[in-house]
Amino acid sequence: MSKQTIITVSREFGSGGHEIAEKIASDLNLKFYDRGMLDEIADEMNVKVEVLEKYDEKPRNIMLSRKVGKYSNSMEEILAELQFDYIRKKANEGESFVIVGRCSESVLRDVDGLISIFVNGNRECKIKRVMDKYALNRSEAVKKMERHDFKRKRYHNRHSDHKWGDSRYYDVCINSSPLGISGTVRTLGNYIQERMKNNG
């Protein structure tokens, strides 16, 4: 791979987007970044990763935080910026990688080799996937799915100038339900390969 390629994957909860992103990274032999980046950030800050995980991809608590200009005492905001800086650093070093979430399609939108993907799915398929994956009943799965999507949407819309899931701001929006995980990976893989040829 001669030129830099960065693939960002945003996803609805239950769509299999995280697994799809992992498989794409494996197929293309690219580094894969998700919440695991917190381990490196925690090491640099000399704190336990569990401390950071409490604030990961969450909106700031308005009652407990203040913002003066561009500075905030909110741990949610501080951690978000640390992750954005981490992502930018990897991109600026010329690294090619796949990354899940973290408003990465917005943070890296000026990178020439960026390919941004949003994975959604049919509601019933997502519910079944969540039920199976987390051993939940239907009601529990629906609540978990809606809770996670609500948090992701709030977080994204707080830190980005476009709306979460708005197809106009992604290169590809794909429904993973009809094709399944493997079929979706193959379809996206074909698109990515064509893009990489054109970028090369």
Side-chain angles (χ1 to χ4, degrees), residues 35-40 42-43 47-54:
R35 67 184 301 149
M37 72 176 68
L38 293 179
D39 291 319
E40 287 189 47
D43 285 343
V47 299
K48 291 184 177 180
V49 70
E50 292 81 8
V51 174
L52 301 183
E53 286 176 338
K54 292 190 298 184

Side-chain angles (χ1 to χ4, degrees), residues 100-154:
V100 174
R102 274 113 195 121
C103 301
S104 47
E105 83 288 342
S106 294
V107 174
L108 302 176
R109 64 182 155 199
D110 294 326
V111 175
D112 287 339
L114 180 70
I115 301 171
S116 59
I117 296 166
F118 189 89
V119 182
N120 56 34
N122 297 340
R123 179 177 171 80
E124 290 304 315
C125 291
K126 292 188 296 180
I127 292 171
K128 184 178 186 308
R129 181 178 173 83
V130 173
M131 288 172 65
D132 293 344
K133 184 172 183 179
Y134 298 99
L136 301 174
N137 63 38
R138 180 183 171 82
S139 175
E140 291 168 336
V142 169
K143 287 178 182 175
K144 186 176 182 69
M145 188 173 77
E146 291 178 347
R147 183 173 67 251
H148 278 273
D149 278 347
F150 178 73
K151 286 180 179 178
R152 286 176 181 173
K153 184 176 182 179
R154 280 185 65 193

Side-chain angles (χ1 to χ4, degrees), residues 33 35 54 63 66 69 71 77 84 90 140 156 200:
Y33 294 113
R35 67 184 301 149
K54 292 190 298 184
M63 302 298 292
R66 288 184 64 222
Y71 300 101
E77 300 265 306
F84 300 157
K90 295 296 181 183
E140 291 168 336
H156 184 280

Side-chain angles (χ1 to χ4, degrees), residues 38-105:
L38 293 179
D39 291 319
E40 287 189 47
I41 295 172
D43 285 343
E44 291 175 6
M45 295 177 67
N46 197 28
V47 299
K48 291 184 177 180
V49 70
E50 292 81 8
V51 174
L52 301 183
E53 286 176 338
K54 292 190 298 184
Y55 305 102
D56 185 35
E57 285 198 300
K58 293 179 180 174
R60 69 189 175 107
N61 187 323
I62 297 172
M63 302 298 292
L64 299 177
S65 63
R66 288 184 64 222
K67 189 165 186 179
V68 179
K70 63 178 182 178
Y71 300 101
S72 172
N73 70 344
S74 161
M75 272 303 299
E76 293 87 356
E77 300 265 306
I78 292 167
L79 181 57
E81 289 300 329
L82 285 171
Q83 291 185 82
F84 300 157
D85 289 343
Y86 179 95
I87 296 166
R88 290 187 194 101
K89 181 173 179 285
K90 295 296 181 183
N92 290 338
E93 290 172 349
E95 189 176 299
S96 292
F97 55 87
V98 177
I99 182 166
V100 174
R102 274 113 195 121
C103 301
S104 47
E105 83 288 342

